[in-house]
Structure formats: structure tokens, C-alpha cells
Amino acid sequence: MSDINKPQLETVIDDTDDLRPADDPIMAEEQAHLDEIYAKLTAMRDDLAAELEHGHEGAAADLRELSDEIRPDFGGAADEVMETLAAIETLNAVIDAYNQYHDFSVDKLRRLLLLLRQPYFAKVRLKMSPDRPARDVYIGAAGMTDERSRPLIVDWRNPVAETYYNQENGQTSYTVNGRTRTVELELRRQFDITRDHLNMYFDTTVAIEDSLLLGALRRHHSEKLKDITATIQREQNQVVRHADVPALLVNGIAGSGKTSVMLQRIAYLLYGERETLSASQVHLFGPNAVFEHYIDNVLPSMGESNPQVYTWRDFCEAQGAGGRDLGEDTDPACLEKLESDISSLFLTADDLREIRCDGTVLLKVASVESAVAKFARFGVGPRFCALVTDELHDRVSRRIASMARDEELQEEMLGLDVDDQVRFFGETVSPENEQETVALTRRWLEQVFAGAHDEVDRLAWLKLDRVAMRMLGKPSVSASEWLYLRLLVTGRGDTDARYVMIDEVQDYTVAQLMVLSRHFSRAHFLMLGDEHQAIREGTASFAQIRELFGRTHGQVDECRLLTSYRSSPEITTLFSGLVEHDAPVKLASVHRAGVAPHIEALPGRDEFLAALRKQVAAAHEMEGLTALVAADDGAVSWLAKQLRDCDVTVIKNNNELPAAGVVLMSLRLAKGLEFDQAIIPDASAETYPDTPLARRRLYTAVSRAMHGVTLLAQDELTPLVTR
């Protein structure tokens, strides 16, 4: 293996494995406390469930009674009308109060059900002031108070819980409402609890002695990423609880928990801004659909809803840019040219389309051209686009009003059957004169051609592809170029989004990030990645990301994650030595010594396939999930044919991972995932030569493994490793 700037690897081992003795007084005391809390939670659940059930019946009866008391009178004296309006307002207020109480109760029941699976996972003993006795604070996945509003369990996102994640005994602090409060941490205790049974407790002071974390890591891979809120480490906590800034960039080594941190950051933000922030205002960009399945239960396990999740392809399709090249190779200079030339752009008739709906032309190109010419003096841009759009809406409405006087269309409206009349008008109709007939025909046509207004709003009247091709002098445009030009023309991105999270940000190009930063211009960004896992040429460097978001969003903070919680020390040593580091860094693996990597080159195809089948057979004898991580889709296809009799599941873009067994997938799909064992079946000099890109690709493949990794090569082994 190459020795270039090899980082120092620190291995820390925990020795607290034996069960506590049965006569441990602390164990007995904590179990007694757990019994008391669990009984209270159970009683609260039962009472609340019964209250909700009976409350529905009582609410319905009350509302019926109030409704019966209202005597609508809008034709009498003014005071009688006011009395009627006041009675209706009172009824609405009562309904609102019932709805608020119901929502509050349902949320409380949801939190109780969550806590009954594991009431809490930690406690801290805090001396809040020198003249007051210390008090115990129990921390769980959700908060709960008793009938006197005293805290039984504190939510892990509550400011006081920061004392647990700071992991410093003695004087420590937490921030509440912008003010720092200093306290004395006398005890930091972690629990392994299953419902009402205390399996184990640990008293710890610093992250690297985190016995609960080690226990969690020793368990085998799950096909779903699990919530490990109890085991957030200090460097991760700095990201989760980081101040809300316009852009936060997290650079973490493989296995440092970037994805978990991102999801916990989302949960933290939803908790802290629960009155003003909804999950629909949070957008998460992941590398592929396999990753989306992998994370889909994490936030619900913390009592929060999932945000809107996209891949770059999903986003392009949702924005109407599907069917084009995705723009993964788009030069950012093209977007800069669009931006610099937009002010001098002049639209011609060839750049415009007619407005049609369901095969009917409502506005001809000449009419659209006339509307464009009316506001051409403003230059193409958001103001011009808004004025033209309003004008086209008016023209569509006038066109429909004119069509309503057409006798054939009037006859068609009059011939509607009863069901259609009710659908369009809410009742059956029988116009008594020409004026009513015209009015009804117009109402009908406005619904039939409602899609025309949607066409106007989505700029169907403007040939954006043609305009972009002319501006760039290219025969076609990518999704990135098309989306960027539309943003320049309309000025309309997503103004409702509050937060955008981008996982594996090192896989995005500068052009793609330019599109996202402009589309979500009002949102705050959290971008997480590992610059050493950039497995394609031409993607954005972290320096370019900082420069871009510094220009578009002003402030860019950066955090580093340098501890691997995924891989054994042997695997961490292997992948860490594959890449150069920009500065001396000290990487840490929290696992005990494990199995040395198996690295083997075979002299021919038959010998190679025999060795590979042997490794697959051995993997089937192990617990957990083993992944064969091939360099690309072509290698996956070839290997699938060779191993068709070996019970290997080929994972494609929309597949979910199984809980156990052996899977075959490309490196592109394996990114962001982890497996008990990983086999790199094409670790040859041809696939992984001594180049910076090949180093990053092999680093990414090897770092998928938790407990064991095998590198096989046909003929010559990659020069990046040694046997």
C-alpha cells in the first residue's frame, strides 16, 4: 500500500462487556425508577386513549347541540343578523378548540407509544447552582411531563440534553433562548433498555468510551438505517446542534455517521421550530432510490415525519426538465453565459408557442407574440415574465368569454347529462334566457379549459430549449441549463422551502449546485460529504462549494468528522491509506481488532471465478449482509451471469436491500450504504490503476465494509494495495 500522507489511526477499545452482578445496588435502583416511569407512561397511554375515544362522542354531541341552537336569520333586522353571525362564530371557535385539543392529544399519544418501546436512554445529574442539590434528568427520544407538568423524560433535542452530548464531567454548559447556562455535570449515565427491562447501564465521560455505542456497532447490519440517537458523539453533536446558518458544509470520513447526523439535524430543527416548520419545508437530496429506502424509517422512529426526498433525476423530472441529459457534465461557464446574456436577449416568433388545451388552440402564436412585444422594453427577466404571464391569462379568459357565445358550444353545454351538470355547476341547470345561457357556457368552458392557465404558468408559450440553444450556440441543452434559464427568466424557485439537505455532496457538479442554490435561494443548506469519495471526474471540490455558497448565501460554516464508527481498525487502516489528506489528521476507529482484509490476485479467469464463488459461499455461512461491490454496471452484468447459480441478489436503482444474504451492486449504488462484509471482485490494476480517481473509488468501495473486506483480482492486482 502507498504510504503517502497516511493518517494516524487511533484504535480505542472498551472493556465493559460483562453483565453487572445481580446484587448491583445501582442496577436495582435504576430498575425501580424504570418500573415507576413505565407504569406512569402506561397509565397515561390508557387514560389518553380512553379520553380520545369518549371525547369524540362528547364533541359530536356538543356540536350538534350548538348547531341546533343557531337560527339562521340573514333577512331580518341588523341586530338579528349580527346575533346569527356571532352564534356561527362561536360554533367555529368551539370546533377550532376541539380540533386543537384533538391534535395535541394525538401527538401526546404518539410520543407515549414511542417512549413505551424505550422510555429513555440516558440520564445526567446536574447541579444547576451551588446552593441547590443536584437533580437527575432522564433523556429519551421524546419528552413527557406528569399531571403537574413536571418533566418525567426530557427530549434529546431539549437544550438541557446538550450536557449529555457535551460528554464533559464537571463544569459544562448548554444554550437556551440564546443564553449560555453553566452547570455542574456530576454524572453521565447511559442505559440499554427494552420496554420496562433495564438490560445494562454504563457511566461514561467521553465519547470514545461509549459502551452503548460499541454495543450498537457490534450488532449486524440492518437493511434499514437505525436511529442511534443515544449514541451521538461529540463531534457529531456539534453538527446536529450547530447554529442555524445559511450554509453548513460537513466533511467527514467514510463511516463517520454523516447520514445519521443529517437526519438527526432534521429532527433537531423540526423540534426547535415546531410551531413554524413542517417536514414539507425540508428537502433532502440523496444519491439514489436504494438510499431512500435505507433511511425511510429513521425520522419516524424519532417521532418526526420524513421530509421531501429526491435524487437529482427526481428533481429534474419534478421541475419539468425530464427527458433531457441530466447535466452531470455541464460546464458552469454555460450557466454563467446564460446569466450574463439574459439582459440582451430578444425573443422572436420562432421562440414562442401557441396556447392549447385538449387539442383546442386558445391563443395563436401571433397573440402570444403580441403580448411579448407589449412588454419587450423591460427586457427578458422576472418582471417581463410576470407581465407577459398576466397578459396571457387575461387573453385566455377573454378567448373563453368569446367562445361562450358560440351557439354550437352552447348546445353542447345544454346537452350535458344530469351527472355532468352537477359536476360542473353543483346543480342541474335550465337557463331561461340568452344571458344565462352565455354565463353558464362560460362557467363550463372555464372548467374545461382550466389547463390552459396552467400552460401559461409553466411557460409552455416559450420554447426555452430553443432559446437556450441559441444563447449557447449548442444543438441541445441539458437539464441543468434548461432549469437555470427558466430561473433567470421567471425568478421563481421554491420560496416555501426552509432547509435543503444534500447527502454525498461531493457527487454534485458546480453547475448542479448552481441550479439548487438559485432554485432554493431562500433556504438554508446542510451539505455533507467526503471529498475522498468523489467517484466521478468533474464534480465540485469542497473549495468550489464554499466559494459558490459564499457568493449565493453569504455565510458558509464547515465541520469535520474524523472518527469511523462503521469499520474495524483493519478496514479503516486500509481505506484511510488510499487517499491523501490535506493536513495531518488523526482518524479513530472505535472497534476492537478484527479480521485482516483478504487480498488475493488469481492467475486466470477460471481460478478467479472459483475463488469468487468460494468467497460467496463463505459469505452465505455468515450472519448479516454481504455486498459484492463492482466498479460499474457493466461489471455487475458480467458478474451476475457468472454467479447465477450462487444465490446472489442483484440490486438495481429502485430495489430495497434484504436483511441478510449476498447482494451484487455497482459502486454508484453502494455509496452511502454499509454492509457486514464487502467483496470487491474487480480489484485489478486495470480497474483501479494508480490514479487519484481510482484511489477515491477504491476508498469508497472498501469503506462500505463493517467487519470484513475481501479484494479479488484476475491477473494483476491494483497497485494501490499490497497483499
Side-chain angles (χ1 to χ4, degrees):
M1 188 193 306
S2 171
D3 292 326
I4 51 167
N5 292 344
K6 188 181 296 183
Q8 182 180 354
L9 179 68
E10 177 181 286
T11 304
V12 180
I13 302 174
D14 174 83
D15 294 320
T16 312
D17 276 339
D18 297 331
L19 293 175
R20 305 276 178 178
D23 59 351
D24 182 348
I26 296 178
M27 190 82 168
E29 178 185 341
E30 292 292 0
Q31 181 63 61
H33 179 81
L34 176 60
D35 291 340
E36 179 184 352
I37 293 296
Y38 203 85
K40 288 182 179 179
L41 294 175
T42 303
M44 292 166 72
R45 176 203 61 190
D46 295 344
D47 291 346
L48 191 55
E51 188 176 329
L52 280 168
E53 181 179 354
H54 297 307
H56 278 300
E57 299 173 1
D62 290 346
L63 292 175
R64 281 195 300 271
E65 184 178 341
L66 284 169
S67 299
D68 291 342
E69 292 176 0
I70 295 177
R71 296 290 181 265
D73 188 353
F74 295 101
D79 58 342
E80 293 174 336
V81 172
M82 293 300 295
E83 184 177 338
T84 298
L85 290 172
I88 293 174
E89 185 64 26
T90 299
L91 179 60
N92 288 336
V94 172
I95 292 172
D96 288 341
Y98 274 127
N99 286 338
Q100 290 175 8
Y101 175 76
H102 175 269
D103 292 346
F104 173 81
S105 299
V106 168
D107 178 68
K108 185 176 180 180
L109 182 59
R110 175 190 60 76
R111 287 184 285 122
L112 284 166
L113 294 174
L114 179 64
L115 291 173
L116 284 170
R117 297 205 299 264
Q118 183 191 47
Y120 45 82
F121 54 77
K123 88 170 180 182
V124 288
R125 182 167 296 153
L126 299 175
K127 196 173 184 62
M128 312 302 283
S129 62
D131 57 345
R132 294 172 57 188
R135 67 183 180 94
D136 290 342
V137 177
Y138 286 82
I139 302 168
M144 189 58 59
T145 58
D146 64 13
E147 66 281 356
R148 296 170 59 185
S149 298
R150 294 175 303 189
L152 297 174
I153 302 162
V154 168
D155 192 294
W156 69 274
R157 295 161 291 187
N158 188 292
V160 74
E162 190 173 355
T163 58
Y164 167 75
Y165 293 111
N166 284 343
Q167 299 165 341
E168 294 177 340
N169 276 21
Q171 190 174 84
T172 187
S173 64
Y174 62 96
T175 303
V176 57
N177 296 328
R179 299 180 63 183
T180 300
R181 183 165 187 183
T182 302
V183 296
E184 192 79 15
L185 177 63
E186 296 185 352
L187 175 72
R188 178 180 181 268
R189 179 168 291 163
Q190 296 175 278
F191 303 105
D192 180 4
I193 291 173
T194 306
R195 297 191 178 274
D196 59 348
H197 180 68
L198 175 59
N199 304 313
M200 181 58 57
Y201 76 88
F202 307 98
D203 289 347
T204 58
T205 56
V206 294
I208 216 65
E209 296 171 359
D210 195 332
S211 303
L212 190 61
L213 171 64
L214 291 169
L217 293 170
R218 276 193 292 268
R219 300 184 192 114
H220 286 281
H221 157 88
S222 167
E223 73 280 11
K224 300 286 188 181
L225 182 65
K226 297 298 185 184
D227 166 34
I228 53 170
T229 299
T231 63
I232 298 173
Q233 300 304 290
R234 185 173 183 179
E235 65 177 11
Q236 297 172 329
N237 185 55
Q238 290 172 350
V239 178
V240 174
R241 283 177 158 79
H242 196 284
D244 190 9
V245 293
L248 178 59
L249 181 59
V250 178
N251 191 356
I253 69 165
S256 57
K258 294 183 293 295
T259 299
S260 292
V261 165
M262 175 184 66
L263 296 170
Q264 287 153 347
R265 172 72 171 172
I266 293 172
Y268 179 76
L269 292 169
L270 290 171
Y271 174 84
E273 302 181 48
R274 54 192 175 278
E275 300 298 328
T276 58
L277 178 66
S278 69
S280 65
Q281 294 174 295
V282 181
H283 299 255
L284 191 163
F285 284 80
N288 49 58
V290 176
F291 173 85
E292 183 177 343
H293 295 310
Y294 186 55
I295 66 169
D296 62 8
N297 68 345
V298 177
L299 283 165
S301 75
M302 290 188 273
E304 302 292 353
S305 300
N306 277 323
Q308 301 191 55
V309 183
Y310 306 94
T311 61
W312 172 255
R313 181 183 296 276
D314 295 336
F315 173 75
C316 291
E317 292 176 352
Q319 295 302 315
R324 296 172 176 82
D325 171 74
L326 290 178
E328 293 176 339
D329 299 316
T330 296
D331 188 338
C334 292
L335 306 192
E336 293 167 357
K337 179 173 174 55
L338 291 174
E339 190 163 3
S340 64
D341 293 355
I342 190 74
S343 59
S344 59
L345 176 64
F346 180 78
L347 298 177
T348 69
D350 291 337
D351 298 324
L352 307 174
R353 288 193 189 93
E354 62 192 9
I355 297 297
R356 60 169 57 231
C357 184
D358 292 334
T360 300
V361 176
L362 296 177
L363 296 182
K364 295 181 179 179
V365 171
S367 180
V368 175
E369 184 181 12
S370 171
V372 167
K374 184 176 179 179
F375 303 106
R377 65 187 184 278
F378 295 110
V380 177
R383 184 181 181 190
F384 163 84
C385 184
L387 291 169
V388 172
T389 298
D390 288 345
E391 178 69 19
L392 292 176
H393 280 307
D394 288 342
R395 294 189 181 202
V396 168
S397 295
R398 293 200 299 271
R399 169 69 170 139
I400 290 174
S402 173
M403 293 170 67
R405 298 186 179 279
D406 185 287
E407 291 185 359
E408 289 187 10
L409 291 174
Q410 291 176 3
E411 288 297 325
E412 187 175 346
M413 182 277 294
L414 292 170
L416 293 173
D417 61 30
V418 171
D419 289 342
D420 284 337
Q421 288 183 44
V422 172
R423 181 161 59 91
F424 285 112
F425 306 115
E427 59 183 353
T428 57
V429 295
S430 181
E432 296 181 356
N433 52 49
E434 177 67 16
Q435 185 177 0
E436 288 185 9
T437 300
V438 171
L440 288 170
T441 303
R442 181 172 181 176
R443 284 177 59 189
W444 169 60
L445 290 173
E446 284 174 344
Q447 295 176 73
V448 170
F449 295 123
H453 291 287
D454 295 333
E455 293 289 286
V456 170
D457 283 333
R458 71 178 188 86
L459 264 61
W461 49 274
L462 180 59
K463 298 177 182 177
L464 276 173
D465 286 276
R466 187 182 188 281
V467 173
M469 287 187 288
R470 189 170 85 245
M471 294 177 72
L472 297 174
K474 297 172 61 174
S476 63
V477 294
S478 69
S480 296
E481 291 160 341
W482 188 91
L483 287 167
Y484 203 73
L485 178 59
R486 191 183 67 172
L487 287 165
L488 293 172
V489 171
T490 65
R492 297 197 306 259
D494 190 326
T495 57
D496 187 51
R498 296 272 306 281
Y499 295 97
V500 175
M501 314 292 181
I502 304 178
D503 201 14
E504 305 287 353
V505 69
Q506 77 281 343
D507 290 341
Y508 287 74
T509 65
V510 172
Q512 290 172 325
L513 293 174
M514 286 174 69
V515 171
L516 294 179
S517 66
R518 184 176 283 269
H519 183 81
F520 297 105
S521 60
R522 297 186 183 181
H524 285 189
F525 278 74
L526 170 63
M527 297 165 285
L528 308 97
D530 179 356
E531 55 192 337
H532 303 307
Q533 291 189 61
I535 63 173
R536 288 194 307 108
E537 292 284 14
T539 54
S541 68
F542 272 54
Q544 289 174 314
I545 297 170
R546 283 192 295 270
E547 191 278 330
L548 169 61
F549 281 88
R551 189 172 68 247
T552 62
H553 282 66
Q555 180 181 351
V556 181
D557 285 11
E558 187 167 4
C559 296
R560 298 292 299 270
L561 300 175
L562 299 175
T563 304
S564 174
Y565 303 103
R566 174 188 299 152
S567 304
S568 68
E570 293 81 2
I571 296 170
T572 303
T573 297
L574 178 59
F575 73 69
S576 297
L578 286 167
V579 293
E580 296 188 42
H581 293 265
D582 54 2
V585 294
K586 189 176 185 180
L587 306 182
S589 172
V590 300
H591 293 270
R592 283 184 174 82
V595 180
H598 178 79
I599 302 172
E600 185 177 6
L602 288 307
R605 174 178 167 177
D606 291 343
E607 292 84 352
F608 165 75
L609 289 175
L612 180 58
R613 291 189 179 102
K614 180 179 178 181
Q615 290 293 327
V616 170
H620 278 297
E621 299 299 318
M622 300 178 185
E623 294 184 28
L625 184 63
T626 297
L628 282 83
V629 181
D632 53 39
D633 292 337
V636 168
S637 179
W638 185 81
L639 288 165
K641 293 176 182 176
Q642 309 308 313
L643 300 174
R644 56 181 174 270
D645 57 345
C646 294
D647 191 18
V648 173
T649 302
V650 178
I651 300 296
K652 297 185 178 178
N653 193 48
N654 291 311
N655 296 146
E656 291 191 44
L657 292 174
V662 181
V663 298
L664 169 62
M665 63 200 309
S666 67
L667 177 59
R668 174 180 59 86
L669 289 183
K671 282 179 62 63
L673 307 180
E674 61 183 30
F675 308 94
D676 291 290
Q677 316 288 331
I679 300 171
I680 290 80
D682 46 8
S684 65
E686 180 181 358
T687 304
Y688 293 103
D690 190 357
T691 65
L693 177 62
R695 285 182 177 278
R696 297 195 298 269
R697 290 172 62 81
L698 189 57
Y699 167 99
T700 304
V702 171
S703 62
R704 300 308 93 203
M706 297 168 60
H707 308 304
V709 65
T710 297
L711 282 73
L712 296 179
Q714 181 178 328
D715 299 325
E716 185 181 355
L717 182 70
T718 171
L720 301 178
V721 300
T722 56
R723 280 175 282 185

